[in-house]
Amino acid sequence: MDKPIALIDGNNFYVSCERVFQPHLLGKPVIILSNNDGCAVARSEEAKALGIKMGAPLFKIRDLVKEHGVKVLSSNYTLYGDMSRRVVDAVSQFSPHYEIYSIDENFVDLSGFGERYEAIAVEMRSTVRQLTGIPNCVGIGSTKTLAKLANFAAKKNPIFGGVCDFTKSAVLAWCLDRIPVGEVWGIGRQTQIKLASQGITTAAQLRDMPRTLARQLGTVVLERTVAELQGIRCLEIEDVAPQRKGMAVTRSAGQPMRNLEAVMQALTAHASRAAEKLRMHGLVAGQITAFFHTNAFSKTAPQHSVSRTIKLKPMTNNTFDLVQAVSRCAHAGWHPKAEAIGYAYTKAGVMLDDLLKEEDASKMLFDVEQPRDARLMKAMDAINDRYGKKKLVLASQGFKNTHEAKADMRSPRFTTRMSDLPVIY
DNA sequence: TCTGGGGTCCTAGGACCC
DNA sequence: TCTGGGGTCCTAGGACCC
């Protein structure tokens, strides 16, 4: 028998985080909005039952929300991140060999438990629930792809009681015949269309597809997915997080930005935040891209999109360096007649690439050490850490902050702020 | 008129994920 | 009026090299 892998996944994770601290939300339709309160990115079961789709723009579901009294919340990533960490703590008690796959999913190697792994999975599920308050499901399979799919079955079909084991061949066969191919990890819309043209619509049919055909139709990725469905392990549990390759800070603006100054305020804020993230991870970047564009959804507004990339020499994580770089990008890309034409930029972002650990960054020839800069950045981070984000910013970020996003319905940071701790009477 | 045969590296763009 | 943000991997094709 193959070594089993489990995938444990929080149910409607963001909604569940909110419900832990606001039990009155239990049993009610709840949605969590994206940044800027734009669209629904998480939904309770009750909200899903009303037909609210993932990613639905709020303004398009306003009637539905009103009619059914759907509770609407801005996203509170500080809370979700902290709850996620608590879930990982609970999971890590069960196996030293696990991978944090996303904010609400963890792969766990169950091979150390002999034949008892299903009982362990059941225990893990209830322990996570007990220690964090987050309801969750567990899928077990001989590959990551099968574990993901088993998790889907555990969520969808109550007969499994929240734990579905695909290492049982009868369960596996029964489910694969019934699960639409689009639910398989790695099969998106485009691939689904291609597969449909071959008459492949279920997970079982995908499993039975010749691997050479899979390669022809897709890429090595699709071939790997077919192999994994057949129980051939192609993807290992990555318990050591690989070095990340890029990093981005992008935001929609609260108000349209119509002049260079407004765009520069946003880009300054994003570059500053990006520099903070670099320093937090002990990284430096070798390349930076600044972009901004108008609202692509608009059918009537004149469209314009700017993206400029420059090398950072030497590699850096210094706020002033990054802000200077995005300023060069913005000035180089700015349309001289933008204001006259009436371009309304609604989104801006900064992307960093060629990331390297600070200590690995090769010193450039003639590079001059700048200890004062490093000390300044340290002081800046310390001040913002102590007195709250964005207390100390560069002047070019401005005070008007037209780019700042809406978050009108955000819950308190229950677990990470002294002032927001829940009070018990 | 006839014009090789390999390599590598980089980038842009597509597809997918949560 | 109002449509998220942050990642990964793969491929094709161009530039360049000897």
Side-chain angles (χ1 to χ4, degrees):
Chain A
M1 225 274 292
D2 279 321
K3 290 187 277 183
I5 294 174
L7 178 72
I8 180 162
D9 181 335
N11 302 350
N12 315 324
F13 186 69
Y14 295 174
V15 173
S16 296
C17 288
E18 299 288 355
R19 282 175 167 171
V20 169
F21 296 94
Q22 305 188 70
H24 62 91
L25 296 175
L26 286 162
K28 302 210 174 88
V30 181
I31 60 173
I32 312 293
L33 300 177
S34 65
N35 235 306
N36 220 13
D37 291 348
C39 43
V41 293
R43 305 152 296 153
S44 71
E45 291 305 325
E46 299 81 4
K48 288 177 190 171
L50 290 175
I52 297 175
K53 298 271 182 268
M54 176 69 179
L58 180 60
F59 72 91
K60 284 191 180 172
I61 53 173
R62 272 256 146 75
D63 292 345
L64 212 55
V65 164
K66 206 165 177 187
E67 188 185 338
H68 294 93
V70 177
K71 303 284 178 189
V72 181
L73 294 168
S74 303
S75 39
N76 183 345
Y77 290 108
T78 313
L79 175 66
Y80 312 150
D82 188 58
M83 294 302 283
S84 174
R85 191 185 53 71
R86 288 160 193 254
V87 168
V88 172
D89 279 351
V91 166
S92 67
Q93 298 174 13
F94 287 85
S95 170
H97 196 33
Y98 62 90
E99 172 187 342
I100 301 170
Y101 175 64
S102 76
I103 196 163
D104 67 336
E105 291 168 281
N106 295 284
F107 286 107
V108 187
D109 180 354
L110 296 181
S111 60
F113 297 100
E115 297 299 309
R116 286 192 60 241
Y117 58 85
E118 199 186 348
I120 293 295
V122 170
E123 198 185 323
M124 184 162 69
R125 176 170 183 262
S126 61
T127 302
V128 167
R129 178 73 195 255
Q130 192 189 344
L131 295 184
T132 67
I134 303 290
N136 59 88
C137 289
V138 182
I140 303 169
S142 55
T143 66
K144 279 177 150 185
T145 304
L146 285 170
K148 285 273 289 184
L149 211 53
N151 188 282
F152 172 78
K155 278 220 171 92
K156 290 288 162 181
N157 199 329
I159 63 167
F160 293 118
V163 177
C164 176
D165 182 3
F166 273 3
T167 64
K168 294 175 178 160
S169 52
V171 176
L172 174 65
W174 190 84
C175 288
L176 287 198
D177 272 334
R178 286 163 180 78
I179 296 178
V181 73
E183 300 298 339
V184 176
W185 192 29
I187 306 301
R189 281 226 336 264
Q190 302 305 318
T191 311
Q192 226 176 306
I193 292 169
K194 280 188 205 161
L195 290 171
S197 74
Q198 304 285 316
I200 293 168
T201 57
T202 69
Q205 287 171 325
L206 182 62
R207 173 200 57 199
D208 297 336
M209 172 181 200
R211 297 228 292 273
T212 47
L213 177 60
R215 177 112 198 202
Q216 266 175 30
L217 208 63
T219 65
V220 62
V221 181
L222 185 61
E223 185 185 6
R224 216 150 46 194
T225 297
V226 171
E228 284 244 318
L229 283 177
Q230 294 170 353
I232 299 161
R233 206 183 277 201
C234 305
L235 306 167
E236 294 302 325
I237 291 181
E238 293 176 9
D239 49 356
V240 180
Q243 163 75 54
R244 72 149 98 195
K245 303 193 163 48
M247 181 183 282
V249 177
T250 71
R251 290 284 179 284
S252 293
Q255 306 282 319
M257 303 173 287
R258 297 181 180 278
N259 53 48
L260 184 55
E261 193 197 353
V263 169
M264 264 314 295
Q265 285 183 357
L267 288 177
T268 300
H270 301 342
S272 302
R273 178 67 195 134
E276 275 176 14
K277 277 171 75 176
L278 281 176
R279 295 195 292 268
M280 195 171 31
H281 290 95
L283 298 168
V284 289
Q287 180 174 296
I288 188 166
T289 302
F291 74 85
F292 47 94
H293 59 75
T294 51
N295 181 6
F297 290 100
S298 171
K299 300 247 190 319
T300 50
Q303 296 289 317
H304 190 229
S305 170
V306 173
S307 173
R308 285 284 188 287
T309 301
I310 53 180
K311 296 277 177 204
L312 294 166
K313 290 180 189 172
M315 301 179 85
T316 181
N317 57 20
N318 180 291
T319 301
F320 294 98
D321 291 344
L322 297 195
V323 169
Q324 196 174 36
V326 297
S327 174
R328 276 171 53 202
C329 292
H331 283 86
W334 185 256
H335 193 300
K337 298 217 173 84
E339 288 186 62
I341 298 168
Y343 290 138
Y345 300 101
T346 53
K347 188 166 181 170
V350 172
M351 298 190 289
L352 301 171
D353 280 295
D354 299 352
L355 305 189
L356 215 55
K357 286 229 179 281
E358 220 163 342
E359 59 266 28
D360 295 343
S362 57
K363 293 282 178 212
M364 310 294 284
L365 197 58
F366 306 126
D367 181 20
V368 194
E369 279 283 331
Q370 294 171 318
R372 282 179 55 214
D373 281 0
R375 293 212 310 268
L376 180 56
M377 290 303 108
K378 230 181 182 160
M380 227 175 132
D381 290 340
I383 288 168
N384 283 324
D385 191 46
R386 179 158 173 190
Y387 296 103
K389 277 183 184 175
K390 299 186 189 173
K391 276 290 183 295
L392 183 62
V393 301
L394 268 58
S396 56
Q397 187 167 329
F399 302 103
K400 287 178 295 187
N401 297 323
T402 55
H403 62 273
E404 283 210 341
K406 273 194 303 184
D408 297 335
M409 297 154 281
R410 183 160 61 209
S411 55
R413 274 90 155 180
F414 293 111
T415 62
T416 54
R417 263 197 202 185
M418 286 306 266
S419 57
D420 290 1
L421 282 178
V423 177
I424 298 168
Y425 295 100

